[in-house]
Amino acid sequence: GDSVTQMEGPVTLSEEAFLTINCTYTATGYPSLFWYVQYPGEGLQLLLKATKADDKGSNKGFEATYRKETTSFHLEKGSVQVSDSAVYFCALSGRDDKIIFGKGTRLHILP
Amino acid sequence: KAGVTQTPRYLIKTRGQQVTLSCSPISGHRSVSWYQQTPGQGLQFLFEYFSETQRNKGNFPGRFSGRQFSNSRSEMNVSTLELGDSALYLCASSPRGPSSYNEQFFGPGTRLTVL
């Protein structure tokens, strides 16, 4: 069945560092891909999405490009802030409309 | 516009009991999905309701059930609680369903602890 694999955390970076969180997927057909973020004590929020190959989703300085050839959707940000500390989830929505989430990557940004 | 609300926020139960969790979606949203979040398994899809009908179901035992009312509010019920049911239960709503083109809006969750 469909699945999402993302790098395990925690990831600890200094403020203004470059961030990459890897995400790869397995799916039949052409799924839509998402990144969600969960701040402490809150539910998930959609960060960005891409619905077809080569699409780039972007929001709040974060970017991810839908790469069908490598079945990847890596999350990047050029300069992280302390306020970016959260758990990040990669997810896909396949033909049956179910959303499949990765296990999440906890990100700590040090001032 | 008010967000997704879930009640209660915290719940402590003992093994063998049953529990009912409630979710009020964003006004106008007709789809409600439920997820279980645990440190070991991550986020797992339980089920989705759309216009009072269960439209999708994850791989959970029959002890987990849900329903949706005509005002789109949803409840999920877990019977005969087990220790492994301790988790954060998240509810998400969307306008038409969790399809590729619909963002899901999540509530803050209900933290269930089973002793």
Side-chain angles (χ1 to χ4, degrees):
Chain A
D2 296 352
S3 66
V4 174
T5 303
Q6 62 182 103
M7 62 190 290
E8 293 194 19
V11 173
T12 302
L13 296 171
S14 298
E15 204 165 24
E16 299 183 4
F18 184 86
L19 168 71
T20 300
I21 300 178
N22 291 336
C23 171
T24 57
Y25 68 90
T26 302
T28 52
Y30 301 92
S32 291
L33 302 174
F34 308 86
W35 277 100
Y36 279 83
V37 59
Q38 185 176 31
Y39 298 103
E42 300 182 13
L44 278 70
Q45 303 172 25
L46 180 66
L47 182 59
L48 52 84
K49 69 178 180 184
T51 58
K52 61 183 186 296
D54 299 326
D55 264 3
K56 177 185 281 189
S58 61
N59 186 25
K60 298 181 182 179
F62 290 89
E63 292 183 339
T65 301
Y66 190 142
R67 302 283 189 202
K68 187 156 180 63
E69 63 276 12
T70 54
T71 61
S72 66
F73 193 54
H74 304 322
L75 182 68
E76 296 182 335
K77 186 174 185 182
S79 176
V80 292
Q81 306 300 312
V82 171
S83 58
D84 294 327
S85 298
V87 181
Y88 292 81
F89 293 89
C90 184
L92 70 80
S93 174
R95 285 185 299 182
D96 59 3
D97 278 351
K98 289 180 187 177
I99 305 249
I100 308 295
F101 286 88
K103 293 204 169 183
T105 302
R106 185 173 298 276
L107 175 65
H108 294 291
I109 306 300
L110 304 175
Chain B
K1 198 182 246 190
V4 177
T5 58
Q6 293 187 245
T7 56
R9 291 293 310 276
Y10 302 91
L11 207 47
I12 298 175
K13 292 286 188 179
T14 55
R15 277 185 301 173
Q17 288 187 307
Q18 76 164 20
V19 67
T20 299
L21 312 181
S22 180
C23 171
S24 293
I26 291 172
S27 177
H29 286 193
R30 296 166 64 190
S31 166
V32 173
S33 297
W34 288 90
Y35 297 86
Q36 182 195 64
Q37 185 177 19
T38 59
Q41 298 299 316
L43 264 167
Q44 294 186 284
F45 172 75
L46 280 154
F47 28 66
E48 184 225 346
Y49 286 86
F50 182 80
S51 293
E52 301 179 66
T53 301
Q54 187 180 86
R55 194 163 73 166
N56 246 325
K57 190 177 188 307
N59 298 322
F60 278 80
R63 300 185 296 107
F64 292 83
S65 62
R67 59 178 175 167
Q68 186 180 33
F69 302 95
S70 58
N71 61 358
S72 294
R73 191 177 70 84
S74 176
E75 290 181 346
M76 68 162 280
N77 185 276
V78 188
S79 62
T80 320
L81 283 166
E82 300 177 0
L83 294 179
D85 297 333
S86 295
L88 181 67
Y89 289 88
L90 292 166
C91 165
S93 75
S94 62
R96 294 191 302 279
S99 75
S100 304
Y101 305 102
N102 281 301
E103 176 181 351
Q104 286 197 288
F105 294 81
F106 282 80
T110 294
R111 172 77 60 186
L112 171 65
T113 301
V114 181
L115 303 176

